[in-house]
Every structure is written in structure tokens, then in C-alpha cells.
Amino acid sequence: HGFYWFSIGGDGEGVEHAHGKLPFFRASSGWHDLFSGRGRKVLSEAVEAYLQQQRWFAGKARTLQKVELIDWFDLDGSGPVASVRLLLVGANYSEGEPDAYVVPVTMLDDEAANELHKTHPSSGIMRVEVANQHQVFTVCEATWSDEMWQGLFDAVSSRRRFRAQHGTLSGTRTEAFARLASEPLGRLPHTVFGGEKINKSAAFGERFILKLFRRVTPGVNPDFEIGRLLTEREPLPFVPQVAGAVEYRPDWAQPMTIGILHEFVANVGDAWTYTLDELSRYFEHVQSLPPATSPNSAAAVASEPQPPNPESSGLVQLADAEVPTIAQETIGGYLRWAELLGRRTGELHVALARGDGGAAFTPEPFTRLYQRGLYQSMRSQARSTLEFLRATRRYLSEDAQARADQLLQREPDLLANFTRLLHGHIDAQRIRCHGDLHLGQILFTGKDFVIIDFEGEPERPVSERRIKASPLRDVAGMLRSFHYVAHAALRGQSAALIVQHADSTMKDWAAFWSTWVSDTFLRSYLATAAPGHFLPADRAQLETLLSAYLLEKALY
């Protein structure tokens, strides 16, 4: 894990590193030389290379022209080496609007960089030789730095302001901060999370959790806006309270939300992980059934009436049917959790529809104009997705290419599904929603579910995420997640299971699980959401909207 490097070229540019080639720069005094002249150019190019390696970089499908520094902040003093800098960088593309990213960085000596490299091999960004210290340092990402997290937390708790070249970074607090910080805070111990998620978070003393956004756009982040409403006006016990935020206010544009401080909620993991565990038990159970048994066989349903087929009847009609005995026996207790999750989702939408947050939250009716706009937006996204598939088809395996061709040949049929949005006026309301609801956005406490992450789909700009929509868009996200997790769990099963049951039969059992879990969730949701009067009373209209959102979610 040592940092072996050597100069390539007369000026030391290009350094061979333990985890790849890092840009190299000779600085006279440290940090300050990286933010002007040639140092700024080398730093920008180093961050550009670093960004393109990260899972959270959203520009992989676009042609990146350059990355430039927008602004930077010193979070923990003005030392030449030990300080942490919060960089705001802009990614410019050959087409479309630029993106902005938050990249915290720190400068480490070889011993500290070695230790970081052991657990985070891709943390290095560039090498810097500081002439007046006769030493070489590595600029690394600082999301594992105590100083970075403490600096952001202090910005909120003390309402600190940092002035930089082109804007101000400031911390704000909500009414909930004082309630959650009922005792003197001091320096709370903290633990950094993140895993596979796009954003990074740290828990402070099991009282707060601070989330740092990677990609930021102008406008108040919906996670802060909606979270504040559900903290101060419509509090819900299954939504964490918002305690504050860190915002960047550029001199020339709207503010950007950099991070949000929430109430910490003890949990045993997210609902996706819990559901995967439940599905493992489900597949073990159906594996014990006779090998010839399938979910729709006579042996499975015995003498009870054949349940409706969701492919021919639709999910809304299915929600009126009773769950068959075989589903109750094989799926078991998870059906109760699906029912609870449907109720919590309905309660969330009813609270958001009360409209107590001013014009930004007041429900609005569907209009013919909105329906046409929705239709055009969904068709446009579908065409864009399929065009991208055509352009990248050659990179797929032969089997995947064959399936891609099947889908592409059905493009006219797929697009025709959206035309039902234009068949008559839909009597419904649009409200503020979660925006990206799925099992990964739900925490499981062991007794209840907690809904988190109200920022919406991070691929979309904040202005678009703040647009009101039918809450069925959230419902479609959950239904899609049930389908997705069932097949993810199936792929994770052992080869022995597939040998005992034909692959097609196991896929039938996966579809059977997702069908009846979705049915239970939807039935509970519709009953809970009814008092909000934002859903179509007509079942056909309800089916039309839900089907359109499901297709949009699958394409997204």
C-alpha cells in the first residue's frame, strides 16, 4: 500500500502512483499555489480525472470538455497543509447545461495518505511538492476527514458564514435544532456512512446525521424544503426532522444546498436490504415445494379461485382482489410490512397535500394543458432512452443485444401507451411528492419504516424536481422497486436452487412475490390516501396514470 511514484517529464508532470498516475505540481508554499496560475490548471485537470472515476459523477454519457473551479472554502483554519478545502467545481460538456459538484479535499503526508489508501484506494487526486517544507503531499478526497465533517456541522450549529472569491457558504438552523440539541453539544463523536449511495453522510453522537450532496444545482434542494415543512408544519413520526442546512450563495445566481442536517433515527438498515433478506427466506420456502410446482399450478392454488392476471387486468383491478392463500403462506409476514409501507406512503402524501407550506405546496388540478405536457415529456424521455440504447447497443453481449433489438422493435407500441394520457380529462390533483421513492429510500427500524431523502431524482435539475405531480409517481417508484428487488434476489440465489427448479419456474415465483406484495402495498395506499382527494375517483383514470408512471420509471 505504499505510495511509489516518480516524475515523468522534465517538469515532473505525471506521477506514477500506487493506484494510478496522478498529476504532479511543485508549489512554493502549499494550498494557496493551487488556486491561481498553473496550480489552478493542474488542480482542475486532476479533479476532472478524479470525477470521471466516481460512481456519483452523472456526466458519463456526455462528452466532458473541461472541469473548472467555481469557488473554494477553508473549513478548518488557514494552515498550509492540515486544512480541509471544500471545492465547488463545474463540469462543462460539449452539449447541454454544465453540472456543479462538491469535492472536499485535504492534503496529507505520505504516512497519512498510506493509511487512507488502505481503505479507500481511489482517494488520491494529485501530488504536490511543497518547496518551503521540502516534502511531497497527496491531495485526497476529504469525505473521510474528521475536520471536514466537524467544519460542516459547526457551520450549522454556530450559523457560521465563510466568504470566498465568488460567493458565501453559510449554515442555517431550523426550530428543531434546539430540540434535538437539548444538551451541550461539545465535539460529538461521528461515524461516516455512504456505501453505494450517491451522497455521503455522517452521524453525530446518534443525535444528528449530516448529508453532503455531491451534485448541486441552483435552487433550494427539495430535501431541505419538504423536510422543513414536515418538521415545522406537518410533522410525521416516520420522517426525520430537519435541523439545518449548509448553503452556497453565489454572487450571480440562486443559492445551492450543499448539505442538510437531520435528526438521527436508529435503524437496522434500509428496506431494500431487509427485503432482500426476506426474499432469501421466500425462495428457500418455495424451493421446498415439489419441483413441478409453479405459482399458477393446480398444486399451488388448490381449490381456491384463480387470481386475476395483473398483465391483463392491471394493478388497480388487482388491488380489489383478495390475496390468495398460497401467497399468504409463501410470502408470509412481509405482506404485513408491505401493508404498513403503503399506509405510511399514503399518510405522507396526505400531509404534503394539506397545502400549509404556501404556494410551493398548494395542490393544483390536472388540466388538459398539463396532461399534454406530461404526455410530451414522457414520450421525449422514452425516445431519448431508446436512442441512447441504439447508440450503445454494440457494447452489449450478444444475448443483451438480442433483447435490446426486441425492445427497439416495439418502440411504436411503447410510445402508444402514453397516448392514453390524452383520452379525456383526468380528474386529479398535483402535489409535492417525495420524487424518488423506492426501497433504498426507506429505513427499517425493526418496528416501523422511516422515509428519507426527499431530494428527488438527482439526475434532474432542482427546478424540475420541485414541479408538482400526481403522487402516483411515488407509488410507481415503490411498485417498480418491488419488481426490481425480487429479480435482484433471484439472481443472488445459489446454483443448487436453480437446478432443483427450472429457471423459468423460479422467475414465476419472483413475479408472484412482486405481484402480491405490490397488490398489498397498493390496496393499503389507496385506502389511506382517499381522504386527500388528490387521486382520480375513476378506476380507469387511476389505471391510466399509474401505468404511465410505471413505464416512465422503467425507462428512467
Side-chain angles (χ1 to χ4, degrees):
H1 294 298
F3 279 68
Y4 304 104
W5 60 278
F6 57 90
S7 297
I8 300 175
D11 61 354
E13 186 171 355
V15 174
E16 192 65 31
H17 194 279
H19 54 258
K21 186 183 290 186
L22 296 181
F24 180 86
F25 179 70
R26 287 193 177 96
S28 59
S29 59
W31 271 126
H32 303 299
D33 298 325
L34 293 179
F35 297 93
S36 62
R38 189 169 185 278
R40 180 168 178 169
K41 179 177 183 295
V42 175
L43 176 60
S44 298
E45 291 172 350
V47 172
E48 177 178 338
Y50 183 76
L51 277 179
Q52 294 179 84
Q53 301 171 32
Q54 307 310 310
R55 176 182 177 271
W56 41 265
F57 177 59
K60 292 183 175 68
R62 302 165 69 186
T63 302
L64 182 64
Q65 287 191 322
K66 67 174 181 176
V67 167
E68 58 184 354
L69 291 177
I70 298 173
D71 221 335
W72 55 93
F73 299 88
D74 193 337
L75 293 180
D76 67 336
S78 56
V81 172
S83 63
V84 173
R85 293 270 168 115
L86 197 69
L87 309 184
L88 184 66
V89 301
N92 298 281
Y93 306 96
S94 59
E95 70 290 323
E97 294 298 314
D99 289 329
Y101 291 90
V102 176
V103 183
V105 295
T106 186
M107 197 181 291
L108 303 177
D109 60 27
D110 277 355
E111 182 179 355
N114 264 314
E115 288 302 309
L116 180 60
H117 177 66
K118 291 176 184 177
T119 51
H120 305 286
S122 63
S123 56
I125 297 175
M126 67 180 293
R127 297 277 279 172
V128 178
E129 180 182 357
V130 181
N132 64 2
Q133 297 187 41
H134 307 290
Q135 193 173 356
V136 178
F137 299 90
T138 303
V139 175
C140 299
E141 176 165 335
T143 51
W144 301 281
S145 161
D146 289 346
E147 288 77 12
M148 193 279 293
W149 289 108
Q150 192 64 48
L152 289 175
F153 183 81
D154 290 346
V156 177
S157 63
S158 304
R159 299 187 179 97
R160 289 183 62 187
R161 293 168 61 87
F162 305 82
R163 179 65 199 175
Q165 300 293 313
H166 307 294
T168 303
L169 193 74
S170 59
T172 60
R173 287 169 30 175
T174 70
E175 299 170 359
F177 185 89
R179 295 195 299 270
L180 297 172
S182 55
E183 302 170 7
L185 291 176
R187 191 177 176 92
L188 295 172
H190 58 273
T191 305
V192 180
F193 302 109
E196 291 300 310
K197 291 188 177 293
I198 292 175
N199 302 312
K200 207 81 171 176
S201 300
F204 287 79
E206 296 193 348
R207 276 199 268 176
F208 299 96
I209 186 162
L210 177 60
K211 176 166 64 175
L212 177 71
F213 293 109
R214 295 291 199 173
R215 184 183 180 211
V216 294
T217 58
V220 178
N221 193 292
D223 200 9
F224 184 50
E225 185 181 28
I226 294 175
R228 193 162 194 166
L229 176 92
L230 297 176
T231 296
E232 299 176 346
R233 293 180 178 270
E234 296 287 344
L236 295 171
F238 54 88
V239 175
Q241 297 179 68
V242 170
V246 179
E247 293 182 306
Y248 172 65
R249 296 181 177 272
D251 297 334
W252 69 92
Q254 290 180 290
M256 301 177 182
T257 306
I258 301 295
I260 301 180
L261 188 67
H262 283 98
E263 168 192 15
F264 178 84
V265 177
N267 63 87
V268 296
D270 61 36
W272 172 271
T273 304
Y274 174 72
T275 303
L276 281 175
D277 291 341
E278 286 290 307
L279 276 159
S280 294
R281 287 187 280 273
Y282 167 76
F283 283 123
E284 288 175 5
H285 180 70
V286 299
Q287 185 182 8
S288 68
L289 298 174
T293 303
S294 75
N296 298 316
S297 68
V301 299
S303 59
E304 54 178 327
Q306 189 73 10
N309 183 346
E311 293 184 4
S312 60
S313 61
L315 277 170
V316 174
Q317 183 181 341
L318 189 68
D320 295 327
E322 289 190 18
V323 179
T325 303
I326 185 63
Q328 297 176 33
E329 291 175 350
T330 53
I331 301 172
Y334 193 85
L335 290 173
R336 293 193 297 274
W337 292 119
E339 186 275 334
L340 176 61
L341 192 51
R343 188 162 72 248
R344 293 288 180 254
T345 306
E347 290 168 345
L348 169 67
H349 289 156
V350 169
L352 290 173
R354 288 197 182 103
D356 291 342
F361 288 89
T362 302
E364 298 177 14
F366 267 61
T367 63
R368 294 275 189 169
L369 182 62
Y370 177 77
Q371 284 176 230
R372 176 159 289 279
L374 186 63
Y375 161 76
Q376 292 172 340
S377 172
M378 288 182 171
R379 276 180 59 97
S380 175
Q381 181 195 305
R383 287 185 183 278
S384 177
T385 299
L386 295 176
E387 282 302 316
F388 181 68
L389 179 59
R390 284 191 185 92
T392 55
R393 174 190 175 281
R394 64 185 183 275
Y395 300 116
L396 302 175
S397 67
E398 287 187 15
D399 177 60
Q401 283 187 18
R403 286 182 284 133
D405 291 340
Q406 262 189 317
L407 175 60
L408 292 170
Q409 289 166 9
R410 298 292 302 277
E411 180 175 0
D413 298 331
L414 187 150
L415 296 176
N417 275 274
F418 293 121
T419 60
R420 288 184 291 174
L421 290 169
L422 303 178
H423 295 168
H425 173 61
I426 296 176
D427 187 12
Q429 287 188 320
R430 299 185 293 122
I431 65 170
R432 293 296 294 276
C433 304
H434 182 281
D436 190 26
L437 193 63
H438 55 76
L439 290 167
Q441 309 282 42
I442 312 288
L443 299 179
F444 183 56
T445 68
K447 296 181 179 180
D448 205 341
F449 292 108
V450 175
I451 301 176
I452 61 171
D453 290 342
F454 288 82
E455 62 177 301
E457 293 173 342
E459 294 285 335
R460 304 179 190 272
V462 164
S463 58
E464 189 175 329
R465 288 183 255 160
R466 296 183 72 241
I467 296 174
K468 295 163 189 170
S470 169
L472 289 174
R473 193 163 184 263
D474 283 350
V475 173
M478 281 304 307
L479 297 176
R480 169 70 182 132
S481 197
F482 288 136
H483 183 265
Y484 189 18
V485 75
H487 287 270
L490 180 61
R491 292 190 187 99
Q493 293 304 298
S494 67
L497 184 150
I498 302 300
V499 168
Q500 184 168 351
H501 289 264
D503 187 41
S504 60
T505 302
M506 294 311 300
K507 288 179 180 177
D508 287 344
W509 280 114
F512 185 77
W513 183 94
S514 63
T515 293
W516 291 108
V517 167
S518 296
D519 160 77
T520 303
F521 169 86
L522 185 58
R523 183 190 307 109
S524 174
Y525 171 80
L526 293 175
T528 308
H533 303 293
F534 41 71
L535 298 176
D538 182 84
R539 283 305 220 219
Q541 293 182 6
L542 191 67
E543 186 72 55
T544 294
L545 262 186
L546 182 57
S547 297
Y549 282 121
L550 277 168
L551 187 54
E552 179 196 40
K553 182 61 67 173
L555 285 163
Y556 176 79

